[in-house]
């Protein structure tokens, strides 16, 4: 296997690799290298979830999402989830539980997003980055699930995290 860097940006690197596929064929593939990320479903004490409405240039506008962000070098995913929750919402989690993990776009990136639920939230300080335009959107959990099902929430990590949280609740989890 050989590799060549095509572009290195502020956060990601685009490389082209020569790979041998399981069927024995060799080909060049483009790969966006990503450090990984964590996303978190924050549950307020009254059972609502705290979503964010975030501007996403690539999507052409605003999306309803759970708080999320990329892993810092050497950072554990659960630490990243708690950090992003606090930075983006101004709430600190008393407890964070793993829901699962997803590969959002394995056709072109090695990004893996670790999914969590956060409970026992306490107010802290919101610290948005320069490129973040975020509005807090508390929402009934059942309403969030309905919006995933009807397309009102179409962000993949958010949909999967909410559905995994719903499954955990159905199976006797919190």
């Amino acid at each position: 296997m050989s590799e060549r860097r095509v572009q290195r940006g502020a956060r990601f690197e685009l490389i082209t690799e020569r790979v041998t596929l399981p069927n024995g064929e060799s080909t060049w593939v483009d790969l966006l290298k990503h450090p990984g990320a964590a996303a978190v479903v924050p549950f307020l004490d009254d059972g609502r979830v705290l979503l964010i409405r975030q501007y996403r240039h690539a999507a052409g506008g605003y999306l309803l999402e759970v708080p999320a962000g990329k892993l810092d070098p050497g950072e554990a995913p659960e630490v990243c989830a708690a950090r992003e929750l606090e930075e983006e919402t101004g709430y600190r989690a008393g407890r964070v539980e793993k829901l699962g993990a997803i590969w959002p776009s394995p056709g072109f990136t090695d990004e893996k997003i670790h999914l969590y639920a956060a409970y026992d939230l306490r107010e802290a300080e919101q610290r948005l980055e320069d490129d973040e335009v975020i509005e807090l959107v508390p929402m009934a959990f059942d309403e969030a699930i309905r919006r995933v099902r009807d397309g009102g929430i179409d962000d993949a990590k958010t949909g999967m995290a909410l559905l995994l949280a719903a499954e955990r609740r159905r199976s006797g989890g919190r």
Side-chain angles (χ1 to χ4, degrees):
M1 176 171 61
S2 60
E3 167 185 306
R4 65 178 184 243
R5 180 183 303 147
V6 176
Q7 176 69 38
R8 182 179 207 112
R11 296 181 182 171
F12 310 109
E13 182 178 11
L14 178 61
I15 63 170
T16 298
E17 286 184 329
R18 182 80 174 163
V19 299
T20 301
L21 302 173
N23 64 3
E25 296 291 324
S26 290
T27 189
W28 288 97
V29 297
D30 292 329
L31 178 65
L32 181 67
K33 300 290 284 179
H34 191 286
V40 59
V41 180
F43 282 92
L44 297 166
D45 288 341
D46 62 7
R48 293 179 302 160
V49 291
L50 183 58
L51 300 180
I52 60 174
R53 184 173 179 262
Q54 184 165 9
Y55 178 76
R56 297 293 193 178
H57 178 75
Y62 288 87
L63 295 177
L64 271 176
E65 303 180 35
V66 294
K70 71 177 187 62
L71 299 173
D72 287 340
E75 185 177 39
E78 64 274 9
V79 172
C80 177
R83 175 179 54 76
E84 289 291 338
L85 170 67
E86 187 170 335
E87 289 176 1
E88 293 185 356
T89 70
Y91 282 87
R92 181 174 295 134
R95 183 166 50 95
V96 176
E97 295 180 4
K98 182 87 178 208
L99 294 170
I102 60 171
W103 298 96
S105 298
F108 69 88
T109 181
D110 62 352
E111 178 186 22
K112 184 176 189 177
I113 303 176
H114 302 268
L115 306 174
Y116 293 88
Y119 304 95
D120 306 324
L121 304 183
R122 299 294 170 251
E123 286 189 41
E125 182 183 345
Q126 185 182 43
R127 297 178 313 277
L128 298 178
E129 295 180 21
D130 292 341
D131 65 345
E132 292 178 319
V133 178
I134 290 175
E135 170 190 340
L136 302 183
V137 183
M139 181 179 296
F141 185 65
D142 290 343
E143 171 67 11
I145 297 300
R146 183 190 67 71
R147 288 189 186 197
V148 171
R149 290 191 176 123
D150 73 13
I153 293 177
D154 52 4
D155 173 63
K157 72 182 174 309
T158 299
M160 185 61 121
L162 288 167
L163 292 174
L164 288 171
E167 180 59 30
R168 173 168 287 176
R169 292 177 94 177
R170 275 195 294 279
S171 66
R174 192 171 157 146

